[in-house]
Amino acid sequence: MHARFFTVVLMVFASGAAVLADDGMSSDVSTQADGQERVVDLSNVPVVSGRGREMREVLELIIDTEYCGDATMEGVTQAAALHGNAPVEGIGFVRPTEEDAVAVLCEMATEEFERLSASGAIHTVADIGRLWKMIALLGTAKTGQSDALAVLWQMARQTTGEWERNVFSAISRAWIDLTIDHGSSKCLELGRYFQESRGVDSKEFWRYIDALGRCDAFGRCPTERDSIELSRFLIQASEVCERKETAGHIDHCAAGDFYFHPADDDPWTNGRPKQGLPGWKGSIQRKHLAERFTGSDIVIADSLKVRAVAELATEDSALTDLREVYGDWTKEEAEE
C-alpha cells in the first residue's frame, strides 16, 4: 500500500477538513479519537447508486483498500469508507447508497463463498481474507439487514469443520452486530444452530461464544428479558460442555472484563470493559464449571481455575445459585 496516501488520510482527518459524499445531507458528525464530535462537509462528493458494474467496482476498491493501524484507530476503516466517511485508494471519498451497496455486497459475498467452497482454498486466513472483509462489512449494514442475515445464515449452514475458524468468527460477529440491538431471540438463533448441529464443543460454537464477548452482547441487550434469555443460554452451555476450551470461552464471555472498548481519550488503550453475564462472578455455576476442569492440563496463567480461584475457595452456601436469579433453564430446555 502507499504510505503517502495514508499519511495524507490521517492529516485530513486530524484537521477535520475532509469532504465527504452526500446523498441529500449537507453535513455529518463523526467522532475523533479524543471523543470530540467533528462536523464535516458532505456536499461535494458524488453518490454511487444502482446495482450494476459501477457499484461493484467501488465495493471492490473498498475491500482492497488497506488502512494502516494509526488510521484504523482513528476510525478510518473499510466500514467507514462504505458509509462515505473514509477515503478509498484510487478514487478518494465516495458514498455508495447503502441499500444498493448491501444488495451488491450480498451478491459478492455469496460468489466468493461459493468460489472458495468449490476450490477448497479455505484453510488459511490468507485464503479467506476477502470473504472475511465482505462479511465484516455486511455486519455494519443499517438497511437491507434481512438480506445480509440471509447470506450469513446460508454460509453458516454450508460451512463444514474444515473451514478456517476465522470464518465462524466473522459470521458470528456480523450476525450478533446485526441482531443484538433488536433483542436476544434472533441473535441466539445462530448460537443455537451451531450448538445443535455442530455441538457445544465445536469450534463453530466457540467462535460464536467468543463473538458474544467481543460484540458486548450483554451490554447491548435492550431489555432485562433479553439479558435473561442470553444468560440462560450461556449457563446451560456451561453445564453440558465437555472440553476445557469450551469452558474457557464460556467463562471469558460470562465473566466480562476480558474485552474492552477503546478509551475515549486514547483509542490505543483500554476503556470501559465489555460486560459479562450478570451474577456469574461469585456463582455456584462458575465454581462447578471450574471444578469440572481442575484436573485438566491447563497451565496457562489465565486458566479457568485461576480466574475462578475465589469461587473455588468458597462454600456453595455462600455463593449465588443462578437458578434463583434466572429460573431453572433445564426445565425450559426440556419443554422446548
Side-chain angles (χ1 to χ4, degrees), residues 31-280:
T31 303
Q32 304 178 89
D34 60 6
Q36 298 295 314
E37 289 185 341
R38 176 182 59 247
V39 179
V40 291
D41 185 10
L42 292 175
S43 61
N44 297 324
V45 176
V47 172
V48 177
S49 60
R51 304 183 181 184
R53 179 178 177 180
E54 184 179 11
M55 178 64 74
R56 183 174 286 254
E57 289 176 348
V58 168
L59 293 176
E60 290 283 2
L61 289 171
I62 291 173
I63 292 165
D64 290 341
T65 300
E66 298 286 349
Y67 300 102
C68 67
D70 288 339
T72 299
M73 293 305 298
E74 291 288 338
V76 185
T77 64
Q78 290 170 336
L82 181 66
H83 297 93
N85 295 316
V88 180
E89 188 171 14
I91 58 175
F93 287 93
V94 64
R95 187 165 191 164
T97 54
E98 184 167 14
E99 183 177 359
D100 293 329
V102 171
V104 175
L105 193 58
C106 285
E107 294 175 359
M108 294 170 62
T110 299
E111 291 167 5
E112 181 69 5
F113 179 80
E114 290 176 349
R115 183 187 70 80
L116 290 170
S117 297
S119 69
I122 54 179
H123 301 295
T124 70
V125 174
D127 292 330
I128 65 166
R130 284 177 56 78
L131 179 62
W132 187 93
K133 294 174 185 177
M134 293 175 190
I135 293 172
L137 288 174
L138 286 176
T140 70
K142 298 294 187 282
T143 61
Q145 291 186 340
S146 59
D147 291 337
L149 288 171
V151 169
L152 295 172
W153 184 255
Q154 179 183 11
M155 291 181 188
R157 293 181 66 88
Q158 292 183 0
T159 50
T160 63
E162 288 76 26
W163 281 81
E164 214 286 331
R165 65 181 182 178
N166 281 345
V167 167
F168 304 113
S169 291
I171 293 172
S172 294
R173 292 176 68 177
W175 183 277
I176 294 166
D177 278 335
L178 289 172
T179 57
I180 189 61
D181 294 334
H182 307 294
S184 60
S185 294
K186 187 68 174 178
C187 174
L188 286 172
E189 281 186 14
L190 182 63
R192 289 186 170 121
Y193 171 74
F194 282 148
Q195 182 174 4
E196 293 168 5
S197 65
R198 314 298 172 86
V200 70
D201 290 300
S202 66
K203 65 181 178 182
E204 294 94 323
F205 190 74
W206 298 348
R207 304 323 296 173
Y208 177 82
I209 294 298
D210 180 69
L212 287 175
R214 289 180 183 271
C215 295
D216 197 19
F218 282 102
R220 293 166 61 184
C221 281
T223 69
E224 183 179 4
R225 181 177 179 178
D226 293 309
S227 180
I228 290 173
E229 184 177 19
L230 193 61
S231 298
R232 290 164 70 96
F233 168 80
L234 200 59
I235 299 167
Q236 187 272 338
S238 77
E239 294 185 334
V240 299
C241 69
E242 297 180 355
R243 295 185 61 178
K244 63 179 182 292
E245 295 90 346
T246 313
H249 284 299
I250 290 172
D251 187 68
H252 280 150
C253 179
D257 302 339
F258 188 71
Y259 293 114
F260 294 82
H261 295 279
D264 291 337
D265 58 346
D266 182 359
W268 288 103
T269 60
N270 289 336
R272 60 187 175 87
K274 296 182 179 181
Q275 296 182 31
L277 190 161
W280 179 253

